[in-house]
Amino acid sequence: MKVVVGMSGGVDSAVTAYLLDKEGYEVIGLFMKNWDSNINSDPEGITEGICPQEQDYIDAKKVCDNLGIPLYRVDFIKEYWDSVFAYFLDELKKGRTPNPDIMCNKYIKFDIFKKEAKNLGADLIATGHYARKEGNKILRGIDNNKDQTYFLSQVKAEQFKDVLFPVGGLTKEEVRKIAKKANLPVAEKKDSTGICFIGERHYQQFVQNYIKGQSGDIIDIETNQIIGKHNGLMNYTIGQRRNVGINGHEKRHYVCGKDTEKNILYVAFGDDNKYLTSTEAIIENMNYISSTKPTFATCKFRYRGEDVPITIKYITEEEIKVTYESAKAVTPGQACVIYLGEEMIGGGIIKEVRKDGKKLWYL
């Protein structure tokens, strides 16, 4: 059978291709370019590279040459801008904290990328995600520290039918060992972190090229006193404690809220402050991967966040209410992904955060 592997230039996709080749599949590599700083620029123009995709392509080519498999390249620059980056900017303008990687999987990797793979004659598609399939179920990756099912939560259930996740049953350490033993050129390559289109650049500097932030007051939510100035609400997220812009305060402080109409950033002091905790959330744009709709489950409110036990009330097909004892820094715009043990049930986007039945006015 012919398998098209999404080659990223990293070790995970390289080992994915290697394992499938060893199993006897006809393996084809497909590299996608989603960003071009010379095209996807702000009105003033950005000429420097943002995401080192050219180096990633070179690395992917080295791996495919090493394995003796072909590598094709496809550009999804416009599609990525329209479906992922525009969404990212719109959410920031609303004062929310978006997760573009989730939308990239939904609209790019498991949609138009799959269609391109089919054009190459693919029977199956494989990626280097740390996730597992068991029948129609999507399960967490074996490596809890690398599990990526959170990022797959908006992919439609039917889009997983012809997908393979060869490294999902391995730990990262095992993947590295396989790559070294097979002499793959990227065996020692450092994992990419953060958002691809930002790369190594400073987040706030990058965002300000697209959204002109307006300075405003930072207010101590407990005393209602002005304690500093922020440089645009889009530069901050709930729970943030570094680079907030408050000088002369030794006590640890956290961003706990935003008022987009008044352009106010609210900050709370102390690790156990009440303004960071909530007990309920409304989740919109629900996508169900499992046909099971549990009343009791666990969820993650952010990637690598702890599992939070929840009670689920189904409001509509696309909206639910989750209730929990207490959770910190639940953030509008982020994903809420629901699990029943190892199985990912699905996920949605956090719309509203509440405490004891009342919407938190500062979120």
Side-chain angles (χ1 to χ4, degrees):
M1 297 185 74
K2 187 178 290 187
V3 182
V4 170
V5 177
M7 300 298 295
S8 67
V11 67
D12 299 326
S13 62
V15 170
T16 293
Y18 168 77
L19 292 174
L20 293 171
D21 185 58
K22 293 285 286 183
E23 288 181 33
Y25 289 99
E26 180 185 349
V27 180
I28 295 174
L30 182 56
F31 179 90
M32 60 179 176
K33 183 178 181 180
N34 295 331
W35 187 263
D36 188 329
S37 58
N38 295 318
I39 297 174
N40 290 346
S41 61
D42 68 299
E44 297 177 4
I46 300 177
T47 57
E48 64 178 293
I50 296 173
C51 185
Q53 287 199 52
E54 286 308 313
Q55 183 59 52
D56 289 339
Y57 174 72
I58 292 169
D59 291 340
K61 186 71 169 64
K62 287 179 181 177
V63 169
C64 290
D65 288 346
N66 180 282
L67 296 175
I69 63 175
L71 177 66
Y72 296 88
R73 174 173 174 155
V74 62
D75 287 356
F76 292 139
I77 295 167
K78 182 181 185 302
E79 293 86 349
Y80 189 89
W81 180 280
D82 292 342
S83 298
V84 180
F85 193 65
Y87 163 84
F88 173 76
L89 295 180
D90 288 343
E91 288 288 278
L92 289 181
K93 290 174 185 176
K94 295 174 185 175
R96 290 161 46 118
T97 303
N99 194 314
D101 291 335
I102 289 177
M103 296 305 160
C104 180
N105 283 323
K106 178 179 181 177
Y107 293 113
I108 308 296
K109 291 180 182 177
F110 290 86
D111 188 4
I112 60 173
F113 176 87
K114 282 191 65 180
K115 292 172 184 175
E116 193 70 26
K118 293 294 184 181
N119 289 337
L120 292 174
D123 298 301
L124 297 166
I125 290 89
T127 74
H129 285 95
Y130 285 83
R132 293 177 293 150
K133 274 183 63 180
E134 189 176 280
N136 294 325
K137 295 180 179 181
I138 300 298
L139 308 179
R140 305 181 203 239
I142 290 292
D143 191 333
N144 289 329
N145 192 48
K146 297 298 293 184
D147 169 50
Q148 292 174 309
T149 52
Y150 182 90
F151 297 110
L152 302 177
S153 57
Q154 282 289 312
V155 177
K156 298 298 181 184
E158 59 269 18
Q159 292 177 300
F160 287 115
K161 289 181 180 178
D162 51 3
V163 172
L164 302 175
F165 298 121
V167 302
L170 301 170
T171 66
K172 186 71 180 193
E173 183 181 3
E174 289 171 330
V175 167
R176 291 280 185 195
K177 286 181 179 177
I178 291 170
K180 290 175 184 176
K181 188 175 181 180
N183 293 316
L184 296 179
V186 294
E188 303 283 354
K189 186 175 180 179
K190 184 180 177 182
D191 287 347
S192 59
T193 57
I195 301 171
C196 176
F197 51 73
I198 296 178
E200 299 300 321
R201 292 184 63 184
H202 188 279
Y203 175 85
Q204 293 188 7
Q205 291 175 349
F206 173 82
V207 170
Q208 286 169 359
N209 285 309
Y210 298 89
I211 305 175
K212 303 304 179 185
Q214 182 181 354
S215 179
D217 293 332
I218 300 176
I219 291 182
D220 181 342
I221 197 168
E222 190 71 50
T223 65
N224 205 35
Q225 297 296 308
I226 297 174
I227 55 174
K229 291 286 185 181
H230 67 76
N231 60 355
L233 293 179
M234 74 283 186
N235 294 313
Y236 307 88
T237 187
I238 306 305
Q240 180 177 334
R241 68 181 181 89
R242 292 190 177 93
N243 302 317
V244 177
I246 304 173
N247 298 318
H249 289 272
E250 294 183 3
K251 194 173 182 180
R252 186 172 288 187
H253 51 273
Y254 299 85
V255 172
C256 67
K258 302 178 183 181
D259 187 327
T260 54
E261 290 185 6
K262 297 180 180 179
N263 196 29
I264 293 172
L265 185 72
Y266 289 104
V267 168
F269 287 82
D271 288 333
D272 298 318
N273 68 78
K274 62 184 179 182
Y275 296 100
L276 274 180
T277 60
S278 61
T279 59
E280 297 176 11
I282 302 297
I283 314 301
E284 62 183 352
N285 300 326
M286 278 298 301
N287 174 59
Y288 297 99
I289 291 160
S290 172
S291 58
T292 303
K293 289 190 177 181
T295 304
F296 302 99
T298 63
C299 79
K300 287 184 180 293
F301 287 117
R302 60 184 62 216
Y303 179 52
R304 287 183 178 163
E306 62 180 10
D307 275 44
V308 179
I310 55 171
T311 301
I312 305 170
K313 179 181 180 181
Y314 296 89
I315 301 172
T316 67
E317 183 64 27
E318 293 191 352
E319 190 168 280
I320 63 173
K321 180 175 79 170
V322 296
T323 306
Y324 40 95
E325 185 175 343
S326 182
K328 280 187 176 182
V330 178
T331 306
Q334 285 284 288
C336 169
V337 182
I338 297 170
Y339 296 88
L340 200 56
E342 292 294 294
E343 182 183 4
M344 179 180 63
I345 301 300
I349 306 300
I350 300 167
K351 174 185 178 182
E352 186 178 296
V353 183
R354 300 175 177 177
K355 193 168 188 176
D356 302 326
K358 295 181 180 179
K359 182 182 182 299
L360 297 181
W361 60 267
Y362 45 88
L363 281 180

